[in-house]
Amino acid sequence: MLRHRIIILTLILSLFSFALAPLAAAQDDDDIVVRVGLHAAEKNLNPFIVPQALPLTHDFTMLVYDTLFWSQSRLDPEPWLATGAEPSEDFRTWTVTLREDVLWHDGTPFTADDVAFTFQYFSDDGGPGRYGHHVYDHPVFESASVVDGATVEITFQDPVTTFKLLPGGDIPILPKHIWEGVEDPRADATSLPVGTGPFVMVEYDPGVSYRLEANPDYFLGPPLVDTLIMPVVRDAQAAFAGLQTGELDFVTRNLPAPLVPRMQENDEVAVATGNRMQSLYLMFNTRKPILRDPAVRKAMSMALDVQAIVDIVEGGMGRPGNDTWTHPDSPWAHPVGGHAFDVDGANSMLDAAGYPLGDGGVRRSADGAPLEFTLLVNAAAPPQIRSGELVAEQLSAIGVDITVEPLDPPAITAARRPGPDGPPKVEMFIAVFESHAHADPDHLFFFFHTPGRGVGGIFSGYANPDFDAVLEDALDAPIDEKLTLIGQAQEIFAAEAPAVVLYYPDGRWGYRPDAYDGWISDPGHGVFTKRSFLAPYAAGSEAPEPAAEEAAAEEAAEAVDAEPEQDQAAVEEPAAEGVDDSSGDAGDADASSAASADDGTATEDAGAATPDPDEPTAAADTGAADDGGASGTVAFVVVLVIVAAAVAAFVVVRRRGREGTVED
């Protein structure tokens, strides 16, 4: 079986390489072209559509769009489209000053009207989606007024002490002249977006590939890469094989631990490390009768050896989970954190709570119900599957019987959604969160407040009035006080364990330095981020970083021309695979299981790129017959046939049984 897989995989890569050739050939010899293997498609980057490619969604979107500040992962975000923002005395109104040297991709000037429109439009829409919850849930947007072309006042119903982080550092600003006539923002999933970002999307083949070109008018200077060719390669083995053979220059999946030595042996491949603040976690549905008991949940948490899990699944290239949930590198992390691992204590806790051992070594409740649960994991995500197996093995030591059930992401989504007859059917599941679930100052509120606020209804359904009260007080608190209150909430969380973080995978990505070697670590974003492509920040760039001071509009304009300080973003230590996300962030409700962290959707498609038959080449522009006319059409048809054959061959292999992981 393995021999057949290797033969077919080799065939696929050969055909994949030939299929990409017409796209690469269309470039000028001096252009820098980077071929990025996406783990999943994100439709046309419409910010109102529920995410499909977490945890890549936000950073992919921000190649085309911009935010007022960058980024939500820092307590001191850098002015981006904004030059500064000042709060009113009660922190309800923020006066935002804007850059005056920004153009939309269609050449229309960016103004304060666009900012005011964006907040009003997201608020009127009301979700669901990745972004809008920060204007209709918390903070609740009230109004926006344009002072002049470069100044806007944004008012909220309650004080917002962290405006620069969220929503200022998160919501993509929209072009009013494009969106103001759109009644249903989710209806369009195919047209090319118009943003202010460093790249312009010039081609999009739904579910297959993207082509982004450098924005020559970007206000921080043109990107260092001219073209991003981005085929969707949903199969992990095909993606990493393509990287090693040169069909791809970068893969958006976290590099699996077993592949790190192999990549290091390849002189043409390097590993970029960074911190995306991801977590792989075990979520309990606390609306189930037995799982509603915090003693049961806490005992299961105590029985889990999270250090062993990260050592086995990630080869030790990650950090064990904290009982306090939040990623240790988040500015909102608990100052102590840690995990209580105590199997004897867990058994004693269940004994005291009235769950004695029954026949077969499985504990039972007072009414005789066995402590037997089904644990859902993403069938396309090896780390989830292996982690689930370890969870089942470890919990058997305290008389809890776990059945691990791998499912495709859509099936997990369906199981997690509340139905007409009551709460979700799921009992527990494993998934991955990205930085928004850790860097958001109100992350615990959004994910774990009693259902009715935030999106707890599609996660644990956890309900604790004391926990709610602390987080509600934290919403409007000054940052110093907010940090203290969040710490108190984390201690309640640790005591009652509505979820258990199994580990925080380190971030590492394989790339080919001959194609591009400017990748930097942008904390909370990893390396596939807009700053990796911009001269003020990219590795090896001679250009200095723009100053990040917040000043009046005229002072900011001077700062743009002045020589700024060099960026000191550090490269993090080597990291582990976060290959699978079954969840998103607040407002991602239905997308949580529809996408896997570095594996998107479970599919049989290897995902090669399909070129546009009308793609111009130098010869076509001059009327030469070599590269245009009938030969171009024939080449396109040949490519289509080849891609179809590759996909068909790969499906045959997948149907014959998937044996092992990407290590094969």
Side-chain angles (χ1 to χ4, degrees):
M1 175 65 71
L2 181 59
R3 180 181 302 173
H4 289 303
R5 291 166 62 94
I6 293 174
I7 293 173
I8 297 298
L9 185 59
T10 302
L11 174 61
I12 290 174
L13 290 173
S14 300
L15 300 178
F16 180 63
S17 176
F18 186 68
L20 281 176
L23 288 174
Q27 302 300 314
D28 293 335
D29 291 340
D30 295 334
D31 283 355
I32 296 178
V33 181
V34 177
R35 297 159 298 177
V36 176
L38 299 173
H39 69 273
E42 194 51 85
K43 297 193 176 177
N44 64 340
L45 303 186
N46 180 337
F48 294 90
I49 293 177
V50 174
Q52 306 294 312
L54 294 167
L56 185 68
T57 298
H58 182 66
D59 285 295
F60 189 7
T61 301
M62 290 304 143
L63 295 180
V64 173
Y65 290 96
D66 284 309
T67 52
L68 295 175
F69 293 86
W70 187 268
S71 77
Q72 53 159 312
S73 298
R74 300 165 49 175
L75 286 179
D76 58 341
E78 176 184 353
W80 207 257
L81 286 177
T83 58
E86 295 296 331
S88 60
E89 187 174 348
D90 62 1
F91 282 88
R92 287 185 58 239
T93 297
W94 284 79
T95 301
V96 183
T97 52
L98 305 170
R99 300 184 66 108
E100 298 185 68
D101 57 348
V102 180
L103 297 175
W104 294 102
H105 292 161
D106 61 4
T108 303
F110 159 78
T111 71
D113 286 323
D114 297 306
V115 177
F117 169 81
T118 296
F119 278 81
Q120 186 67 60
Y121 195 71
F122 271 108
S123 176
D124 293 343
D125 173 63
R130 163 63 176 77
Y131 297 101
H133 57 279
H134 284 299
V135 294
Y136 62 75
D137 196 335
H138 180 80
V140 179
F141 170 81
E142 186 173 282
S143 65
S145 60
V146 174
V147 177
D148 57 44
T151 310
V152 59
E153 291 182 346
I154 303 173
T155 300
F156 299 90
Q157 292 183 8
D158 298 301
V160 183
T161 59
T162 53
F163 168 80
K164 294 179 185 178
L165 283 74
L166 291 164
D170 189 58
I171 287 184
I173 302 302
L174 307 174
K176 178 181 178 180
H177 65 285
I178 299 292
W179 286 89
E180 63 181 339
V182 177
E183 295 183 2
D184 180 2
R186 290 170 190 78
D188 181 7
T190 58
S191 68
L192 299 178
V194 175
T196 57
F199 287 94
V200 181
M201 187 184 296
V202 297
E203 291 180 14
Y204 166 51
D205 188 351
V208 176
S209 65
Y210 301 80
R211 183 192 186 98
L212 275 60
E213 301 282 359
N215 177 3
D217 300 317
Y218 196 56
F219 58 86
L220 289 177
L224 300 175
V225 169
D226 297 291
T227 302
L228 293 173
I229 295 175
M230 308 170 77
V232 179
V233 189
R234 293 184 173 92
D235 184 83
Q237 297 185 57
F240 291 116
L243 178 65
Q244 292 187 84
T245 58
E247 281 76 21
L248 297 172
D249 303 315
F250 182 90
V251 173
T252 60
R253 303 171 187 275
N254 255 20
L255 184 63
L259 283 184
V260 172
R262 191 180 305 174
M263 292 292 179
Q264 292 173 337
E265 294 171 357
N266 188 335
D267 293 337
E268 297 179 349
V269 176
V271 178
T273 59
N275 183 0
R276 197 153 58 184
M277 292 188 196
Q278 285 183 230
S279 61
L280 187 141
Y281 63 90
L282 168 66
M283 188 75 72
F284 302 117
N285 182 356
T286 65
R287 289 152 293 197
K288 295 292 183 179
I290 295 178
L291 294 175
R292 187 178 297 124
D293 187 346
V296 173
R297 302 193 305 265
K298 184 60 179 177
M300 286 195 283
S301 173
M302 292 170 60
L304 292 175
D305 185 350
V306 294
Q307 182 65 64
I309 292 175
V310 72
D311 287 345
I312 294 171
V313 178
E314 300 290 349
M317 290 183 281
R319 284 174 278 182
N322 288 335
D323 291 344
T324 49
W325 177 263
T326 311
H327 194 287
D329 292 336
S330 166
W332 310 101
H334 191 276
V336 178
H339 172 68
F341 172 49
D342 183 357
V343 176
D344 291 340
N347 274 309
S348 297
M349 182 176 290
L350 290 174
D351 288 339
Y355 298 92
L357 282 173
D359 295 339
V362 177
R363 291 182 180 272
R364 293 183 177 273
S365 66
D367 60 3
L371 269 63
E372 297 175 341
F373 307 102
T374 298
L375 171 59
L376 303 185
V377 297
N378 186 337
Q384 280 195 32
I385 297 171
R386 187 67 182 113
S387 295
E389 293 169 347
L390 293 171
V391 166
E393 177 184 323
Q394 294 177 4
L395 292 186
S396 68
I398 61 169
V400 177
D401 184 33
I402 301 293
T403 299
V404 179
E405 184 176 356
L407 294 177
D408 288 342
I412 299 177
T413 297
R416 287 175 48 182
R417 289 176 62 102
D421 300 326
K425 297 178 181 179
V426 66
E427 293 177 323
M428 56 182 70
F429 61 89
I430 288 177
V432 173
F433 265 135
E434 44 99 38
S435 63
H436 195 48
H438 298 283
D440 183 336
D442 303 314
H443 62 289
L444 292 176
F445 171 86
F446 279 116
F447 292 106
F448 295 103
H449 188 283
T450 298
R453 298 292 303 274
V455 293
I458 56 102
F459 291 101
S460 74
Y462 178 58
N464 181 321
D466 294 335
F467 182 78
D468 292 347
V470 173
L471 291 176
E472 288 167 6
D473 289 344
L475 290 177
D476 307 332
I479 288 181
D480 290 344
E481 184 180 344
K482 182 188 285 281
L483 285 165
T484 300
L485 291 169
I486 289 175
Q488 295 174 12
Q490 289 169 330
E491 290 166 7
I492 297 173
F493 187 100
E496 298 209 336
V500 181
V501 176
L502 301 179
Y503 62 85
Y504 307 103
D506 295 336
R508 57 181 177 272
W509 296 271
Y511 74 99
R512 300 182 72 85
D514 285 349
Y516 184 66
D517 200 19
W519 308 103
I520 62 160
S521 172
D522 196 353
H525 302 272
V527 303
F528 188 74
T529 168
K530 67 170 68 182
R531 282 163 48 112
S532 280
F533 300 109
L534 298 175
Y537 313 95
S541 170
E542 297 180 358
E545 176 181 349
E549 69 265 18
E550 297 165 12
E554 63 274 10
E555 293 174 332
E558 294 174 2
V560 171
D561 296 329
E563 182 174 348
E565 299 178 358
Q566 180 67 33
D567 181 78
Q568 299 296 323
V571 175
E572 307 294 332
E573 59 189 53
E577 179 187 15
V579 175
D580 32 286
D581 183 302
S582 283
S583 65
D585 42 36
D588 290 349
D590 301 337
S592 318
S593 289
S596 62
D598 289 314
D599 216 321
T601 30
T603 175
E604 310 294 333
D605 188 1
T610 301
D612 188 332
D614 297 323
E615 177 67 27
T617 63
D621 290 342
T622 58
D626 296 345
D627 300 304
S631 63
T633 302
V634 171
F636 175 67
V637 172
V638 169
V639 168
L640 284 180
V641 172
I642 289 172
V643 172
V647 172
F650 191 74
V651 169
V652 169
V653 174
R654 291 293 294 267
R655 286 177 177 172
R656 296 180 70 174
R658 180 170 185 171
E659 301 176 353
T661 69
V662 289
E663 186 178 6
D664 292 332

